[in-house]
Amino acid sequence: MKRIGYLYEQIYAWENLLTAFRNAKRGKASADLSAFEYNWEGNLLEIQEQLRDQDYRFGAYRHFEIFEPKQRTISCAPFRDRVTHHAICNVIMPVLEKSMIVDSYACRKNKGLHKAIRRAFWFYQNSHYHYRLDIKKYFYTIDHQVLMNKLERKFKDRKLLVLLEQLLGTYDSGAQYYFPTGEPDVCELIRPRGIPIGNLTSQLFANFYLNDFDHYVREQLHFPYYIRYMDDVIVFGESRDSLKKAANQILSELAKIRLIPNEKKNYIKTNALGIDFLGFRLHENRIKLRSQNLVRFRRKLKSRRRVTDFNQLLRSINGHIGYLTAGHTKKLINIVFEDIEFSDEKRKWKMVLP
């Protein structure tokens, strides 16, 4: 495997930092961003100088909870760090992308939720059984040393590797996310683990962490009908026995990188029963929206019936529509719209999805 070098200098190149700044601020608004933007050129020059001198220090995270679609802790880095994250990803992402399989989705260009759903649906229609697997607390259990070993096999640029190791060192999810893959071990307990949900780099690292695993399932276990969306995995096969044998090998492979499955999503079923995947249900010849997501969408619309900012309403609704239309849902969405009336100071109206 050819290792890539001479990348570190590309991170702090002015054009790369400028692109990173523009990407980091797109669609965002915060006091932190406003303060950075007030003297953006000087701030970018400071980042450039610190990176050039190998004296860059990442700041502290601000943590907050979200509860939809499930409870998670989001870690928000200072805006200057988010610029640096983008600058790093601009340089290393093309290198890491080259080794990824075609059916690894999430946080990749032209590899979003819609394509993942459609691809899974095709696999579903052309097979008879499936092994469904989800990693338990995935982001919180990614092992720092395992990840660094994988990165060192890709990059030989020592300055870059030191920067990436410093970035990983800004976060540790703690011993509560130690899930033994064998006999409990005190040394294993204190190993640094976890990457923060919220960083652009975390999305890239999380996708790359399972890259060798993807190749293992496809090329060594010989299951071409395989799809992964971050830590949501489906292996499609023609018999229950072949999948059962593969499942044992798959779990052993995951244990090598200190991961275990979510107990509720680790099963083999016939395709005739349908498949739940990314908030949708693949069943017969339809991609159906799961009822809990429909309820969530309806509740969100009802909370915004009184409109003070029409553009903000559109942005919010468009985000949901972009997700929901991954399935065969147009008729269902319009039924929801028909029940909800929006209004502002001058008028009332209803939405329609054309």
Side-chain angles (χ1 to χ4, degrees), residues 21-68:
F21 167 56
R22 289 168 178 163
N23 290 339
K25 74 171 185 172
R26 184 175 294 135
K28 302 294 192 299
S30 69
D32 194 17
L33 166 57
S34 297
F36 187 96
E37 200 168 22
Y38 182 76
N39 183 29
W40 66 267
E41 193 169 16
N43 287 322
L44 289 183
L45 286 169
E46 182 180 59
I47 292 173
Q48 184 181 54
E49 180 181 356
Q50 290 177 356
L51 286 171
R52 184 177 59 242
D53 295 343
Q54 295 181 263
D55 193 34
Y56 189 89
R57 297 293 179 266
F58 294 98
Y61 293 102
R62 177 174 59 87
H63 305 283
F64 60 93
E65 300 288 322
I66 62 170
F67 300 92
E68 295 286 354

XYZ file of all heavy atoms in Angstrom, residues 21-68:
414
model
N -12.681 28.415 5.359
C -13.448 29.454 6.052
C -14.825 29.618 5.419
O -15.851 29.658 6.120
C -12.664 30.773 6.006
C -13.449 31.978 6.412
C -14.077 32.050 7.641
C -13.568 33.070 5.546
C -14.816 33.168 8.013
C -14.297 34.185 5.901
C -14.922 34.243 7.146
N -14.881 29.668 4.113
C -16.168 29.841 3.423
C -17.086 28.648 3.670
O -18.292 28.817 3.886
C -15.922 30.021 1.926
C -15.297 31.364 1.573
C -14.805 31.389 0.134
N -14.257 32.698 -0.227
C -13.475 32.908 -1.276
N -13.135 31.886 -2.079
N -13.016 34.122 -1.540
N -16.525 27.457 3.642
C -17.336 26.262 3.869
C -17.804 26.169 5.318
O -18.933 25.751 5.590
C -16.548 25.008 3.501
C -16.319 24.878 2.007
O -17.043 25.475 1.206
N -15.320 24.098 1.618
N -16.944 26.546 6.250
C -17.288 26.446 7.667
C -18.412 27.409 8.046
O -19.216 27.097 8.937
C -16.056 26.714 8.526
N -18.491 28.555 7.402
C -19.503 29.547 7.773
C -20.795 29.411 6.980
O -21.793 30.057 7.309
C -18.943 30.963 7.600
C -18.817 31.439 6.162
C -18.467 32.923 6.113
C -18.459 33.445 4.675
N -18.307 34.904 4.616
N -20.793 28.565 5.937
C -21.973 28.464 5.077
C -23.193 27.997 5.871
O -23.189 26.953 6.516
C -21.704 27.484 3.935
C -22.848 27.391 2.922
C -22.487 26.501 1.754
N -21.403 27.086 0.983
C -20.353 26.424 0.553
N -20.209 25.143 0.858
N -19.421 27.022 -0.157
N -24.248 28.804 5.818
C -25.495 28.458 6.477
C -25.470 28.555 7.986
O -26.396 28.095 8.654
N -24.414 29.144 8.553
C -24.274 29.220 10.009
C -24.427 30.661 10.489
O -24.188 31.615 9.756
C -22.900 28.699 10.436
C -22.609 27.264 10.006
C -23.509 26.278 10.705
C -23.029 24.843 10.511
N -22.996 24.419 9.112
N -24.820 30.793 11.748
C -24.895 32.104 12.395
C -24.655 31.921 13.887
O -25.316 31.112 14.534
C -26.263 32.740 12.157
N -23.664 32.634 14.417
C -23.369 32.555 15.850
C -22.489 33.732 16.225
O -21.859 34.365 15.365
C -22.651 31.241 16.194
O -21.346 31.229 15.651
N -22.429 34.011 17.510
C -21.573 35.094 17.992
C -20.109 34.756 17.729
O -19.297 35.640 17.388
C -21.807 35.309 19.487
N -19.763 33.486 17.857
C -18.397 33.018 17.607
C -17.997 33.277 16.150
O -16.903 33.772 15.865
C -18.322 31.522 17.930
C -16.887 31.028 18.029
O -15.979 31.859 18.176
O -16.693 29.802 17.969
N -18.903 32.968 15.233
C -18.650 33.217 13.814
C -18.534 34.710 13.530
O -17.621 35.146 12.812
C -19.778 32.609 12.973
C -19.872 33.038 11.504
C -18.573 32.745 10.754
C -21.043 32.337 10.819
N -19.434 35.494 14.108
C -19.409 36.946 13.876
C -18.097 37.557 14.349
O -17.522 38.422 13.676
C -20.588 37.609 14.597
O -21.818 37.142 14.076
N -17.625 37.105 15.508
C -16.368 37.633 16.044
C -15.191 37.262 15.139
O -14.302 38.087 14.894
C -16.140 37.089 17.455
N -15.200 36.041 14.626
C -14.129 35.606 13.730
C -14.207 36.371 12.413
O -13.183 36.814 11.868
C -14.251 34.096 13.467
C -13.104 33.506 12.703
C -12.054 32.893 13.364
C -13.064 33.562 11.310
C -10.994 32.337 12.662
C -12.004 33.020 10.592
C -10.965 32.404 11.278
N -15.411 36.540 11.903
C -15.602 37.170 10.593
C -15.218 38.641 10.600
O -14.817 39.196 9.570
C -17.063 36.992 10.165
C -17.306 37.149 8.689
C -18.690 36.668 8.300
O -19.580 36.606 9.168
O -18.880 36.356 7.110
N -15.328 39.290 11.765
C -15.010 40.714 11.874
C -13.566 40.993 11.459
O -13.254 42.018 10.863
C -15.256 41.175 13.317
C -14.995 42.646 13.533
C -15.909 43.609 13.100
C -13.826 43.081 14.172
C -15.678 44.956 13.292
C -13.579 44.420 14.365
C -14.511 45.359 13.916
O -14.267 46.701 14.108
N -12.687 40.036 11.787
C -11.273 40.161 11.393
C -10.834 38.851 10.747
O -9.831 38.238 11.139
C -10.417 40.489 12.618
C -8.946 40.703 12.267
O -8.607 41.134 11.151
N -8.054 40.366 13.194
N -11.605 38.409 9.752
C -11.385 37.071 9.187
C -9.990 36.907 8.577
O -9.358 35.867 8.724
C -12.466 36.748 8.147
C -12.444 37.608 6.906
C -13.143 38.745 6.684
C -11.671 37.374 5.723
N -12.867 39.254 5.438
C -11.970 38.428 4.826
C -10.762 36.399 5.332
C -11.375 38.526 3.567
C -10.169 36.482 4.073
C -10.479 37.544 3.201
N -9.501 37.940 7.920
C -8.198 37.821 7.268
C -7.090 37.655 8.303
O -6.210 36.796 8.174
C -7.939 39.035 6.382
C -6.759 38.854 5.443
C -6.675 39.952 4.389
O -7.341 40.997 4.562
O -5.953 39.756 3.402
N -7.157 38.478 9.348
C -6.156 38.371 10.410
C -6.235 37.031 11.126
O -5.206 36.431 11.469
N -7.460 36.534 11.338
C -7.633 35.244 12.004
C -7.112 34.088 11.150
O -6.513 33.142 11.671
C -9.107 35.029 12.358
C -9.564 35.901 13.514
O -8.815 36.120 14.462
N -10.771 36.428 13.441
N -7.345 34.168 9.841
C -6.820 33.125 8.954
C -5.292 33.157 8.910
O -4.639 32.104 8.887
C -7.388 33.279 7.541
C -8.867 32.932 7.339
C -9.243 33.068 5.863
C -9.185 31.523 7.823
N -4.739 34.358 8.908
C -3.280 34.470 8.926
C -2.697 33.887 10.215
O -1.626 33.260 10.201
C -2.863 35.933 8.775
C -3.016 36.534 7.373
C -2.831 38.043 7.415
C -2.012 35.894 6.401
N -3.412 34.087 11.323
C -2.953 33.524 12.602
C -2.988 31.999 12.561
O -2.045 31.333 13.014
C -3.838 34.038 13.736
C -3.399 33.542 15.109
C -4.290 34.070 16.215
O -5.513 33.793 16.171
O -3.772 34.737 17.118
N -4.080 31.418 12.025
C -4.164 29.962 11.877
C -3.026 29.470 10.998
O -2.358 28.472 11.311
C -5.531 29.553 11.282
C -6.659 29.830 12.274
C -5.523 28.070 10.888
C -8.054 29.607 11.708
N -2.792 30.174 9.887
C -1.738 29.778 8.951
C -0.369 29.776 9.634
O 0.417 28.838 9.500
C -1.730 30.721 7.747
C -0.731 30.330 6.680
C -0.731 31.310 5.520
O -0.567 32.516 5.714
N -0.921 30.796 4.303
N -0.109 30.827 10.380
C 1.188 30.942 11.053
C 1.368 29.840 12.097
O 2.429 29.216 12.186
C 1.314 32.316 11.712
C 2.634 32.526 12.431
C 2.716 33.892 13.108
O 1.768 34.701 12.945
O 3.721 34.141 13.793
N 0.325 29.584 12.880
C 0.425 28.563 13.920
C 0.583 27.172 13.328
O 1.327 26.349 13.858
C -0.810 28.634 14.827
C -0.843 29.887 15.690
C -2.099 29.987 16.533
O -3.011 29.153 16.424
N -2.177 30.998 17.379
N -0.114 26.889 12.237
C 0.049 25.594 11.576
C 1.445 25.469 10.963
O 2.086 24.420 11.075
C -1.023 25.410 10.498
C -2.443 25.123 10.995
C -3.428 25.172 9.839
C -2.525 23.752 11.682
N 1.908 26.532 10.348
C 3.241 26.508 9.733
C 4.321 26.258 10.784
O 5.275 25.512 10.550
C 3.504 27.817 8.999
C 4.841 27.825 8.242
C 5.045 29.101 7.456
N 5.006 30.269 8.318
C 4.098 31.255 8.220
N 3.184 31.208 7.281
N 4.126 32.277 9.041
N 4.144 26.865 11.960
C 5.133 26.718 13.033
C 4.881 25.474 13.895
O 5.573 25.271 14.893
C 5.110 27.955 13.931
C 5.544 29.217 13.197
O 6.163 29.083 12.119
O 5.230 30.321 13.681
N 3.873 24.691 13.507
C 3.456 23.506 14.280
C 3.159 23.873 15.730
O 3.505 23.156 16.671
C 4.527 22.414 14.217
C 4.750 21.841 12.824
C 5.790 20.746 12.825
O 6.954 20.974 12.519
N 5.381 19.538 13.193
N 2.478 25.006 15.884
C 2.164 25.527 17.207
C 0.657 25.717 17.378
O 0.221 26.460 18.246
C 2.899 26.864 17.407
C 2.893 27.317 18.856
O 2.942 26.447 19.743
O 2.813 28.537 19.093
N -0.133 25.052 16.540
C -1.595 25.215 16.616
C -2.136 24.426 17.799
O -1.761 23.272 18.024
C -2.257 24.720 15.327
C -3.732 25.063 15.261
C -4.155 26.270 14.708
C -4.690 24.196 15.768
C -5.509 26.595 14.655
C -6.042 24.515 15.723
C -6.439 25.717 15.164
O -7.784 26.038 15.127
N -3.032 25.042 18.555
C -3.665 24.383 19.697
C -5.181 24.450 19.530
O -5.747 25.520 19.373
C -3.254 25.048 21.014
C -1.765 24.946 21.323
C -1.358 23.501 21.586
N 0.088 23.383 21.857
C 0.990 23.113 20.940
N 0.605 22.936 19.666
N 2.272 23.005 21.258
N -5.807 23.278 19.584
C -7.268 23.220 19.478
C -7.898 23.688 20.782
O -7.370 23.441 21.872
C -7.728 21.797 19.160
C -7.303 21.310 17.805
C -6.169 20.514 17.662
C -8.019 21.663 16.669
C -5.761 20.068 16.419
C -7.615 21.222 15.417
C -6.497 20.422 15.281
N -9.055 24.358 20.666
C -9.742 24.885 21.833
C -10.697 23.880 22.458
O -10.806 22.728 22.028
N -11.407 24.338 23.491
C -12.336 23.478 24.232
C -13.684 23.410 23.516
O -14.112 24.358 22.847
C -12.519 24.011 25.646
N -14.372 22.299 23.680
C -15.698 22.122 23.089
C -16.778 22.719 23.982
O -16.634 22.791 25.209
C -15.995 20.629 22.899
C -15.127 19.953 21.878
C -14.045 19.156 22.277
C -15.369 20.089 20.522
C -13.237 18.519 21.348
C -14.566 19.464 19.585
C -13.504 18.688 19.993
O -12.706 18.065 19.070
N -17.867 23.104 23.335
C -19.105 23.439 24.049
C -20.070 22.291 23.792
O -20.339 21.940 22.644
C -19.675 24.757 23.526
C -21.003 25.175 24.142
C -21.405 26.560 23.658
N -21.526 26.600 22.209
C -22.636 26.279 21.531
N -23.711 25.853 22.192
N -22.678 26.360 20.211
N -20.595 21.696 24.854
C -21.438 20.512 24.719
C -22.901 20.855 24.962
O -23.224 21.667 25.838
C -21.009 19.425 25.720
C -19.562 19.046 25.620
N -19.073 18.241 24.619
C -18.490 19.375 26.392
C -17.782 18.073 24.772
N -17.394 18.761 25.840
N -23.782 20.236 24.199
C -25.221 20.383 24.437
C -25.931 19.118 23.969
O -25.391 18.326 23.185
C -25.791 21.628 23.740
C -25.628 21.638 22.239
C -26.623 21.152 21.405
C -24.473 22.150 21.660
C -26.475 21.171 20.026
C -24.316 22.176 20.273
C -25.329 21.685 19.461
N -27.157 18.942 24.462
C -27.929 17.728 24.162
C -28.978 18.016 23.080
O -29.564 19.101 23.040
C -28.654 17.233 25.419
C -27.753 16.886 26.587
C -26.971 15.610 26.368
O -27.538 14.661 25.778
O -25.794 15.560 26.793
N -29.198 17.022 22.216
C -30.352 17.041 21.319
C -31.160 15.775 21.615
O -30.627 14.782 22.128
C -29.955 17.106 19.834
C -29.147 15.865 19.416
C -29.175 18.373 19.533
C -28.941 15.761 17.916
N -32.438 15.807 21.291
C -33.326 14.703 21.652
C -34.079 14.120 20.472
O -34.859 13.188 20.631
C -34.314 15.172 22.738
C -33.630 15.637 23.992
C -33.296 16.981 24.160
C -33.286 14.742 24.984
C -32.653 17.413 25.310
C -32.640 15.161 26.135
C -32.328 16.498 26.304
N -33.908 14.684 19.277
C -34.541 14.167 18.070
C -33.463 13.848 17.037
O -32.589 14.690 16.799
C -35.514 15.202 17.486
C -36.719 15.536 18.368
C -37.765 14.418 18.390
O -37.602 13.429 17.623
O -38.719 14.529 19.165
